[in-house]
Every structure is written in structure tokens, then in C-alpha cells.
Amino acid sequence: MAACMSAVWVGFAFALAATPRTRVDAICETCGPREGEILRKAVDERARATTALVCAQWICGTAAVVFAVAAELRTRGEDSVVWVTLVSSVFVGATWSLAARRALEGSDRIVPAAARAAMVLSKLPPVSWVVWVAGVIGRAARDVPGVPEPVSEQEVLAVADAAARSASIERDERELIEAILRFGDVTVRDVMVPRTDMVTVSKDFRVGDAMEVVLLNGYSRLPVYGEGPDDVVGILYAKDLMRAERDGEVDATIERLVRPAHFVPESKRISELLREMQREQFHIAIVVDEYGGTAGLVTLEDLIEELVGEIVDEFDRVEERIEPLPGGAVRVDARMQVGELNELLGLDLPVGDWTTVGGLFWHLAGHPPTEGEVVRCDHHQLRAERVKGRRIGKVRISPVAVDGVDRSVDEPATRTPHQSGDEATTRTPDQSGDEAATSRDVP
């Protein structure tokens, strides 16, 4: 009996601790006004209420073990007391684990009863004594400078969801909050332009030649290499080229115009990089891999787009990253991340050492792909399109019927620009753009 009561208190404690404030109003609507008032009070005094339940849990659990040992002493003596203690303790612990899992699964149904029990227990000695002592210690800890009450990202998002549902904030504002929370988890590798997409010039180029590259691609900053792509020696600014051209130095080499480049590791978090760009006042950085080679480049615009979505100017041409096709198929950009595609279309493509759809195709094929080559992945068929050399431009994903089950992909979800990485379009700069290449800028 004591073990069962102990399990009940465990379930109540877990249910009360796991119920977020944003769920309280919805739960109160399903119970009476008196129960709702008690629940709100218990949630407001969650530490006090939970302490009361945990105290009752340990009293009943200890009592169960003591009763089992006492019964064994009366019947068989002291020979098996140790084994009875161990068995009864394991049994009590098992009931606690089972009760906790059940409580978490149905916390909305349990928490009103848990709140009533907690408020009653917190007023009964000796539980009330323990609650008082725990309250004194808790207040002392909160009064210590630099020890704020922790709040999880899930709680922040839950509050934002509730505010959006009640029209206290706009839906776009809620999505911006989520993008801000995600921002700290994104690395430079996730937003950089890969080296194969970089537009670069050699340090031996003439001013006139480099100006042609700027005009053809529409970038205001270009990486400059020495011996090869891994030997980036600096950054060339379009305004320096225009100034040199104005001064009649069209045939001079650009080496003297090159400015120092900033290098960052691909594992660096973009939140740290953004602060570094603000502090040191630069807009473009060269990304290096763990072996010191050039992995790509990243610009300030790339970082800002992770917060506010795609930034398109009047000279950009918009190209669909996800193109719906007849029969439930879609054509996607091979550079699109597999996780992003799964989220947008509800697919279950595997994620491994590769990050892009093109990388997945390479993994499945096991050799350089050819135009029109087809590979199978679970319930989907992938077809390589627009292959140039060893690089895949587009991948057509078609559903494969299995046992008569329709495996058609969902329509691309309509996403707002605030959700990091969820834009369904990419843009290719025309000849009059303003920034350096970004991960969505490359033709």
C-alpha cells in the first residue's frame, strides 16, 4: 500500500513539474472554477507544491521498505533482511519509474488532482516543515547575484505561441523569435557559399579583367587567390577597381589593390561571427576547413538572412529551389540541405556524412554521376539532372509505390522568411548586384 501511494505522489510530482504555464488555461477550461483556481495557485507556487509531493513520495517509499523489512524480521529473522531490503527498494524504484512515465503521457488529466494534493500536503506536518526549509534555501539561492531562474527555449517558444494565438503578437514576430533562438545553433558551414560556387580572381589579373568579372557577376567583393583556390591572399573591392580604372590603371595588376581577408573556421557559430563582423567592421570572410583549405566564403548578408529571410534586390533573378512536377514528383536544387527538404516536404531522406541532396546522390551512386542517372532511396527515386562535370545541378525526386501505397511527396509548405533556412527560392544576381556571392546568390 505504501509503495502504491509513493508511486501516486511520484506521478503527481512529474505531472505538475511538466505542465507549462501556457497549458494551464486550456486545462482549467476542462475542470471546474475551483479546481482551476487551485491549479493556477499550484503552478504559481510550483517549487513549494512539487517539494510537498516529493517529500510525501519519499516518506511513503521509505515506509514501504521499512514495512517489508519488519515483516521479514517477524517471520524469518535476520538472515534475509539484506535481500528483502534490496528487493523492496528495487520494487519501489520500479513503481516510481512506471508512474513517472504514465504521468508524463497524461499530465493534462492528472495535474488538477496533483495540484489539489500538493496544496493539502504542503500544509500538513512534517511535510510542511520540509517545504518551509526548502523555501528558505530556495529564496537564499535566488538572492545570490548571477543565479537567475532558468528558462528553456521550449518555454520561450510556448509563450510566443500562446501570444500569437491570442493576437498579442503577429505570427511573423513569433517566427522571428524562433529564428533568433535557432540563430545560436547555426554554424558557418550551414550558410557559407561552397568553394565550387565562389567567384574568384587571380592576383595576376589586370584591373580591366577584374572589372569585367565584377560586372558579369554583380558582386562588390571578390576573393583573390595566389597559387590556387586554397591560397586566398585577400579580398578585392569593386570600388578600388573603379578608382584604379578612373586613374587610367586599366593594365595594372590588381595585386596592390588587394585588402587583407578574414578567415574563420567552418565550425564557428554564426552568432559569434556576426559579433566579430560588427566589432572588426568587415562584411565577408573566407571559411577554412579543418585541414586549412578553403571551404567557402560567408558574407554579412548570409548571416542576416538567417534571421529575416531571403533578401532580394531589384536586380536579382528568382529561381525556384523546389519545383513541383506532375505525378507527385519534385525537382530540387542539389545544394539544398536534406534536413530542410525533409521538413518542407515531409520526406524521410536519410541524413549522414552528407548535408545536401547532391551529397546524398553521390553517396547512393558511389561514383561520379551522369546526366539522367537514377538511384533508389527507400520509397523515393532520385534522378540527376543538369550534371556538369562531377557536379549535379538539379535532382528530380519521384515517389515509388510500395504495396500499393501512394508515396507522393507533399506540396511544398508555404514558409515565411523568418524561419532560418526554410526559404523555397534561391536567387541569382544579375549584372548590377551589390554584394559578394552568398549561399543563395550563385547561379
Side-chain angles (χ1 to χ4, degrees):
M1 183 64 180
C4 293
M5 287 304 301
S6 176
V8 170
W9 302 133
V10 170
F12 281 176
F14 271 84
L16 185 58
T19 301
R21 292 180 181 273
T22 52
R23 288 288 305 155
V24 171
D25 290 338
I27 297 173
C28 289
E29 292 176 359
T30 63
C31 57
R34 176 60 180 167
E35 289 78 3
E37 181 182 350
I38 294 174
L39 176 57
R40 288 190 176 92
K41 184 176 181 181
V43 172
D44 290 339
E45 302 176 4
R46 197 191 303 266
R48 173 187 174 91
T50 305
T51 301
L53 292 171
V54 171
C55 182
Q57 160 200 336
W58 280 101
I59 290 175
C60 291
T62 303
V65 175
V66 170
F67 290 158
V69 172
E72 182 66 17
L73 286 173
R74 285 197 302 269
T75 57
R76 299 184 182 180
E78 301 179 358
D79 295 339
S80 56
V81 168
V82 174
W83 290 108
V84 170
T85 303
L86 290 176
V87 171
S88 58
S89 299
V90 170
F91 175 76
V92 170
T95 60
W96 288 0
S97 177
L98 179 61
R101 287 199 301 269
R102 296 296 185 185
L104 292 176
E105 292 172 0
S107 59
D108 287 1
R109 299 189 306 272
I110 299 173
V111 73
R116 290 195 300 272
M119 299 312 293
V120 172
L121 285 172
S122 63
K123 298 176 182 178
L124 299 177
V127 175
S128 60
W129 306 338
V130 177
V131 170
W132 181 82
V133 172
V136 172
I137 297 174
R139 285 191 296 272
R142 284 194 297 270
D143 291 340
V144 175
V147 186
E149 184 176 354
V151 179
S152 67
E153 291 186 5
Q154 289 75 17
E155 289 177 313
V156 174
L157 287 177
V159 172
D161 283 332
R165 286 194 299 269
S166 64
S168 298
I169 63 174
E170 298 293 334
R171 176 59 59 179
D172 288 350
E173 294 173 326
R174 185 264 175 220
E175 288 161 356
L176 181 57
I177 291 172
E178 182 177 5
I180 292 171
L181 293 176
R182 284 185 180 183
F183 193 75
D185 299 327
V186 180
T187 62
V188 172
R189 177 184 173 83
D190 297 325
V191 301
M192 72 178 184
V193 182
R195 186 178 70 175
T196 53
D197 292 337
M198 289 171 52
V199 177
T200 60
V201 293
S202 170
K203 66 178 182 180
D204 298 325
F205 269 36
R206 297 183 306 115
V207 169
D209 297 333
M211 196 65 189
E212 285 296 322
V213 175
V214 169
L215 294 175
L216 287 173
N217 293 277
Y219 303 140
S220 63
R221 299 171 177 86
L222 295 175
V224 180
Y225 65 87
E227 301 300 328
D230 285 326
D231 182 29
V232 176
V233 296
I235 303 296
L236 180 64
Y237 284 58
K239 61 182 181 181
D240 293 336
L241 286 174
M242 289 186 284
R243 187 178 295 112
E245 192 175 46
R246 181 199 62 187
D247 295 340
E249 301 176 2
V250 178
D251 295 325
T253 61
I254 63 172
E255 189 170 4
R256 69 176 187 83
L257 302 177
V258 175
R259 301 192 186 196
H262 292 81
F263 297 89
V264 297
E266 58 183 353
S267 58
K268 191 183 189 73
R269 297 189 182 275
I270 62 174
S271 56
E272 299 174 4
L273 178 58
L274 179 59
R275 288 193 293 270
E276 185 178 336
M277 285 182 164
Q278 291 176 308
R279 183 174 62 253
E280 300 184 20
Q281 300 180 356
F282 63 94
H283 285 209
I284 186 173
I286 304 300
V287 184
V288 296
D289 58 26
E290 58 184 314
Y291 304 106
T294 301
L297 65 82
V298 63
T299 68
L300 179 61
E301 183 177 347
D302 289 319
L303 308 187
I304 295 175
E305 285 180 338
E306 287 300 306
L307 288 175
V308 301
E310 192 74 11
I311 301 174
V312 182
D313 64 28
E314 64 273 20
F315 299 108
D316 292 331
R317 296 192 305 269
V318 178
E319 177 184 335
E320 294 294 331
R321 294 180 70 195
I322 302 178
E323 179 185 351
L325 300 173
V330 292
R331 181 180 289 114
V332 302
D333 190 329
R335 294 170 301 174
M336 192 170 187
Q337 293 193 3
V338 175
E340 177 186 355
L341 185 64
N342 285 340
E343 182 180 354
L344 287 172
L345 301 184
L347 303 180
D348 56 353
L349 298 178
V351 178
D353 294 334
W354 56 92
T355 58
T356 65
V357 179
L360 171 61
F361 194 100
W362 263 88
H363 169 75
L364 295 173
H367 58 264
T370 58
E371 181 71 28
E373 183 174 355
V374 175
V375 296
R376 177 82 174 267
C377 181
D378 295 332
H379 306 306
H380 301 94
Q381 178 178 281
L382 282 64
R383 179 187 179 93
E385 298 182 353
R386 303 186 192 179
V387 178
K388 295 182 179 179
R390 295 184 297 273
R391 184 176 181 186
I392 307 173
K394 297 284 186 177
V395 175
R396 178 186 177 121
I397 303 176
S398 306
V400 177
V402 178
D403 298 330
V405 179
D406 183 11
R407 299 290 179 179
S408 300
V409 298
D410 298 334
E411 287 294 322
T414 301
R415 308 302 291 260
T416 63
H418 295 310
Q419 291 185 304
S420 171
D422 286 347
E423 298 80 7
T425 61
T426 185
R427 59 189 176 90
T428 305
D430 208 336
Q431 296 182 2
S432 305
D434 180 55
E435 270 295 337
T438 72
S439 56
R440 304 165 184 86
D441 286 341
V442 182

